[in-house]
Amino acid sequence: MSIREIIEWVGVILILLGSIMAVISAFGILRLPDVYTRSHAATKSSTLAVLLSLTGTFIYFWATENFISVRLLLGISFVFLTAPVSGHLITRAAYRSNVKLADISTEDALKDVIHKKDTEQ
């Protein structure tokens, strides 16, 4: 095997791992009990899935066609920066809208902090 073929296989394996992570993310979104844990599954694992897939695609095209795609690099950086922030903002909006935690949740760590801020204003 040449170096080029090894790099192609690395790209293919990254794409496969990204696909597996996307399926795991979908199961997490379907099976988890409340908006907070679903948001965690949607942002963490799906961000990793997209990053693995795009990185694998970038490496594959770079190895096979000597093509460096600026669009893929921009997509990787855009997803890496925006997905966790949007997940955090959605979860924060849900908490401030008094969306109930799941029954299996043991502690609400923000309850005292948020209510203290509300009473001070």
Side-chain angles (χ1 to χ4, degrees):
M1 284 185 97
S2 68
I3 295 293
R4 179 167 283 208
E5 290 175 347
I6 292 172
I7 294 173
E8 285 178 25
W9 276 103
V10 167
V12 168
I13 289 171
L14 285 175
I15 294 170
L16 179 66
L17 288 174
S19 302
I20 292 169
M21 284 302 300
V23 170
I24 291 171
S25 175
F27 282 131
I29 291 170
L30 293 174
R31 298 284 301 165
L32 292 172
D34 62 355
V35 69
Y36 307 106
T37 53
R38 286 180 187 153
S39 173
H40 182 73
T43 56
K44 299 282 185 187
S45 57
S46 63
T47 301
L48 180 62
V50 170
L51 289 176
L52 285 172
S53 298
L54 290 179
T55 304
T57 305
F58 177 79
I59 290 172
Y60 183 80
F61 281 126
W62 177 49
T64 58
E65 299 177 14
N66 289 332
F67 178 69
I68 295 177
S69 175
V70 176
R71 288 183 184 176
L72 282 174
L73 293 175
L74 287 173
I76 290 168
S77 61
F78 183 74
V79 168
F80 186 70
L81 293 174
T82 58
V85 173
S86 64
H88 173 76
L89 291 176
I90 289 169
T91 305
R92 182 178 174 175
Y95 188 82
R96 290 198 178 256
S97 299
N98 295 322
V99 175
K100 200 176 129 179
L101 286 130
D103 294 332
I104 61 172
S105 297
T106 57
E107 182 181 355
D108 184 2
L110 288 177
K111 186 176 185 179
D112 297 332
V113 176
I114 297 294
H115 292 297
K116 182 188 263 187
K117 282 185 180 179
D118 290 340
T119 58
E120 288 176 0
Q121 293 176 354

